[in-house]
Every structure is written in C-alpha cells, then in structure tokens.
Amino acid sequence: MEDKKDSPDPLPQDIQSGPAIRHLVDTFYTNVRQDNLIGPIFEETVEDWGKHLPTMYRFWEKLLFNVPDYDGNPFQKHLSLPVQPPHFTRWIELFTQTVDDHFAGPKAEEAKTFARKIASTFQLRMGLKPENPEWAVPNYTRG
C-alpha cells in the first residue's frame, strides 16, 4: 500500500468579487471582535452585525471592483468613536494580516493600500497624528 502524501496547501489566490470579499470581511471582523484593543469599541458600536457585515461587503466591492452598490459616509460613522492612533495602527495590522493570511496578488495589495489610506485620512480629519509615519497623509503646503 502506498502512503499518500499530504498535498501542499494551495497558494493563496487574489481577492475576487463576491465570495472572496465576504471571506475577507468576515474573517477580518472575527479577528477584530476578538482583539483586546479594538474589539470592545466595535462590540459597543455595532448594534447589528447581520446588517453591518453586508454593508462592509458592499464598501470593499466598491473600492476594489467599482461595484456601485455602496452609498455611505464611513468617516461620519467613525467620527464619534473613542479612537486614538493606537486603534488605527491595530486596525491596519489586523487588516493586513487577514489579507496576507488568505490572499496574494494585485487586488490584495490594493486592499492593504486602501486600508492604510483610509486610516491615514480618518486620522488626519480627526486631528490625530498616525503612530507610523509611513501611513501619514502628506501635509501639502503652498510655497
């Protein structure tokens, strides 16, 4: 009898519209909800995860695939949250780790770039200085 070798794990594929977006969002928010730093903020703020997650599917499909199914103001929803730069840093870390654990390719890289830009822009608009200078939005001046 021949020993069957375990087949290697398939290489991660790039993010695609539909089920891959749902997997990304579901996995990310599972990680967020279990996180000691940002989990409590999300648990206190999100009243209905069954409604929130589909909104996030539409948000990321619009960003990554130009699916015109999201219409919202994410900054406005986050403006009143008790967040500081360490919260944004952790959010980016969790998002990046989730993407890297499950996906690889141009859309995966684009998603991570969008996440850093979102966090940077939110912090700038909230008057916060990002912990990681690489994530800061450049301060343009006339001169």
Side-chain angles (χ1 to χ4, degrees):
M1 180 188 235
E2 283 185 31
D3 288 335
K4 289 186 178 179
K5 291 185 178 183
D6 291 336
S7 61
D9 291 334
L11 295 174
Q13 295 193 357
D14 204 0
I15 299 171
Q16 298 174 5
S17 187
I21 289 285
R22 287 189 291 282
H23 179 68
L24 169 63
V25 169
D26 290 347
T27 305
F28 171 65
Y29 280 106
T30 295
N31 296 337
V32 163
R33 293 173 79 179
Q34 295 171 358
D35 187 75
N36 291 332
L37 180 62
I38 64 175
I41 294 170
F42 279 86
E43 286 298 328
E44 187 173 307
T45 305
V46 177
E47 295 176 14
D48 183 355
W49 284 97
K51 184 177 178 183
H52 182 69
L53 292 174
T55 300
M56 295 297 90
Y57 306 152
R58 291 189 303 275
F59 174 78
W60 283 102
E61 286 209 307
K62 182 173 185 175
L63 283 181
L64 295 173
F65 300 101
N66 295 316
V67 175
D69 198 21
Y70 175 81
D71 183 28
N73 185 341
F75 176 72
Q76 189 64 39
K77 301 224 183 253
H78 291 80
L79 188 56
S80 64
L81 297 180
V83 292
Q84 293 296 316
H87 299 104
F88 286 99
T89 298
R90 187 64 183 143
W91 185 85
I92 293 169
E93 290 169 350
L94 289 172
F95 189 85
T96 299
Q97 187 64 53
T98 302
V99 171
D100 288 345
D101 285 351
H102 299 273
F103 302 98
K107 284 293 178 188
E109 293 305 313
E110 188 177 347
K112 293 185 295 186
T113 298
F114 271 127
R116 288 189 300 273
K117 286 179 180 180
I118 290 165
S120 296
T121 301
F122 280 20
Q123 288 176 91
L124 177 69
R125 292 181 70 190
M126 291 175 168
L128 302 172
K129 182 178 178 184
E131 287 184 319
N132 185 334
E134 293 177 18
W135 300 336
V137 174
N139 185 9
Y140 295 104
T141 58
R142 293 181 180 172

